[in-house]
Amino acid sequence: MRNLTRPRSRVFRTDWFNWRSSAIIDSVALIGGTALTSVLANAYELGPQLFQLGREHAEIDDIIFVGFVLIIGLMIYILRRYRDLVCEVKERTIAEREARELARHDSLTGLPNRRLFDEKLHACLSAVSDTRQVAVLMLGLDGFKRVKDRHGHLAADKALGEFANRVTGILREDGMLARIGEDEFGIIMSDIRSLDVPANLTSRIVASAAEAFAIEKVSAELGVGIGIAIAPSDGVNCDGLVRRAVRALCRARGDGRSCVRFFEPEMDTHVERRIHIERELRSAIAADIVEPHYQPLVSLKGERIIGFEALARWNNRTLGCIPPDVFIPIAEETGLIHALGDQLFRRACFDANAWPGTFTLAFNVSPIQLRDPTLGVRILAILGQTGFSPRRLEIEITESAFVENLEVAKTVIDELRQAGVRIALDDFGTGYATLSQLLSFRLDKIKIDRSFVSHLDDSADSRVIVRAILGLAQGFGLTTTAEGVEDAAQLAFLMANGCTEGQGYLFNKAIPAADIPALLSRMPYDSSVA
Ligand code: C2E
Ligand code: CA
Ligand code: CA
């Protein structure tokens, strides 16, 4: 890491030197001034005698001598002043250069910052052609936030520095690596003749980021997602090219850990649609249009309904039905999830008050909601306002919520559990949580992800995994719900292996609140299970 700050001792030396020079100059000027005054006074007094007598040659010599001394003094003064001026100009030039450097570099890594990156890109794009292409790569660290949350800012900064060093070591001499955002970097590669060049570079960067980062006596795992845009094919405008590389990075990040994606024109359309959805979602939340539908939770013993999971549904007048898999992530990214979550929960409690008194309401809480330490208080307040019992509520949380924000999640969950709310681990088996992390939370239920259940018929691996999860849950005294049960064979396997509850199209899809009475009239439900 480079230190771009100016050493203090040098500033002090310069100031002292300037002060000393000025003192000498002032003394010389003072002595010279005094001498000149006295000589002039003498000359004035002696003048008449000189003309009259023409004899005091000695005094004339004195005057000439003093004049000579004065001229020498003046010359010394001019020389010193000149030298001081040269020093001052030199110091100012250095200071200005250092200030310019600071304004163009990142103080943590010493890498060029966005400003220098843009300047370099402008310069490269002015010489771009079909045979001399320019590649802009946007790099986003995967797992950086987790490192920061777990090991603190200092460790995270060290990881950033280490990553910058690794990439600098891989980059070609003429390539530029810059730090663009907190955990985002940019690379410019000029004069490339084939797309293999950036592709090869990215695989080396991905491989190097995959090696553990040893920081503060701990080892941190990071990954890197990379988006690439190429000039001239993806544009020759600096901002446009960077925007497209960022869009490619967004796609890479959405596709998983350490993915690399080249920009494709379809990504522009995707982003525009996303912006449109976001705008519509804001109005839908303001108008309270997004509503919960309910999918039955079934006790496998006797196949009776014991509750419902609330699933968000949004029917937009121009866009049609937008699945929650699309709008929930947008709500999470924009922070709308907090208002939307509260709104849906209030409605769900209100609807659930009309169900048989023993029915459970299962409600999904996203990892982003769990970053908010006030979530528990808000949930309990809504329960109080709607009069729905906390003992009938089951909050579904995914593994990533635990990984991302252990401490806040723990506090919120503790608050809810103390009030009697049960906690279910959703999509079990798809996240990155370690078993010990999961065990540090007191859970009531595990929901086996649909991806395992749907392959019970054709994958021996899925059968082994499901059996293992069921065994684990039994060992810890947890209830289990199998998600996405679609056929009788899956149901038979799950029952034979001790799964307690099921959910899926075999029983029913999610339906509006108004359709629940009709469902209950044709499907058995258990009013003795709480
Ligand atoms: P999830 O919590 O895992 O919900 C189960 C999803 O599987 C639902 O999709 C449900 O309709 C679907 N499903 C249930 N049974 C079957 C089946 O037998 N076969 C198939 N193929 N699918 C089945 P949905 O409603 O599209 O929800 C998707 C995800 O969106 C949910 O996954 C949940 O993560 C999220 N989500 C839905 N509503 C909310 C909400 O109110 N808040 C939050 N934070 N997330 C929500
Ligand atoms: Ca769920
Ligand atoms: Ca699930």
Side-chain angles (χ1 to χ4, degrees), residues 159-398:
L160 282 176
E162 171 65 18
F163 175 76
N165 285 342
R166 289 186 193 180
V167 179
T168 310
I170 295 172
L171 206 57
R172 254 179 18 182
E173 290 257 300
D174 56 343
M176 176 196 265
L177 172 71
R179 185 166 174 223
I180 304 291
E182 188 187 23
D183 59 347
E184 286 184 348
F185 295 81
I187 291 177
I188 302 169
M189 299 178 81
S190 55
D191 205 5
I192 55 164
R193 280 143 218 271
S194 146
L195 295 188
D196 291 346
V197 178
N200 288 339
L201 176 74
T202 54
S203 24
R204 293 181 65 197
I205 294 176
V206 167
S208 117
E211 282 168 30
F213 287 75
I215 35 169
E216 308 272 302
K217 294 185 196 143
V218 292
S219 167
E221 302 290 327
L222 285 173
V224 62
I226 305 178
I228 310 168
I230 305 287
S233 55
D234 297 329
V236 288
N237 164 278
C238 179
D239 288 347
L241 203 61
V242 170
R243 201 166 44 240
R244 290 183 155 178
V246 169
R247 284 179 182 178
L249 170 62
C250 287
R251 177 62 59 84
R253 287 188 134 167
D255 287 351
R257 207 177 154 86
S258 294
C259 285
V260 179
R261 294 288 175 264
F262 278 88
F263 172 79
E264 284 163 25
E266 161 273 321
M267 291 176 188
D268 273 344
T269 333
H270 177 80
V271 171
E272 275 145 28
R273 183 175 149 81
R274 229 181 132 81
I275 292 168
H276 183 51
I277 294 177
E278 183 194 325
R279 208 179 307 123
E280 291 289 314
L281 184 61
R282 278 183 199 279
S283 345
I285 294 170
D288 201 0
I289 284 171
V290 187
E291 59 173 6
H293 278 200
Y294 303 94
Q295 185 175 36
L297 291 157
V298 176
S299 164
L300 295 189
K301 208 169 74 189
E303 288 180 44
R304 289 166 178 273
I305 299 178
I306 52 168
F308 290 94
E309 175 178 358
L311 293 163
R313 294 290 177 265
W314 175 30
N315 194 356
N316 180 267
R317 58 198 145 76
T318 51
L319 299 162
C321 269
I322 304 163
D325 284 341
V326 173
F327 71 80
I328 295 285
I330 296 178
E332 287 177 340
E333 254 174 49
T334 50
L336 290 168
I337 190 70
H338 302 288
L340 177 63
D342 287 2
Q343 200 172 82
L344 285 166
F345 184 55
R346 191 180 300 276
R347 252 174 109 159
C349 289
F350 180 77
D351 290 339
N353 273 331
W355 306 339
T358 53
F359 272 24
T360 301
L361 164 68
F363 191 80
N364 293 284
V365 163
S366 94
I368 308 291
Q369 286 171 280
L370 264 173
R371 285 185 197 163
D372 176 3
T374 67
L375 178 73
V377 177
R378 289 209 320 275
I379 289 180
L380 297 177
I382 294 174
L383 287 173
Q385 288 154 14
T386 53
F388 188 73
S389 165
R391 304 205 165 271
R392 291 175 58 195
L393 177 64
E394 209 165 77
I395 291 291
E396 296 195 2
I397 296 168
T398 53

Side-chain angles (χ1 to χ4, degrees), residues 295 309 312-313 324-325 364 426-427 450 483-484 486 504-505:
Q295 185 175 36
E309 175 178 358
R313 294 290 177 265
D325 284 341
N364 293 284
D426 205 355
D427 305 342
R450 195 171 74 220
E483 299 183 310
E486 290 185 354
Y505 295 168

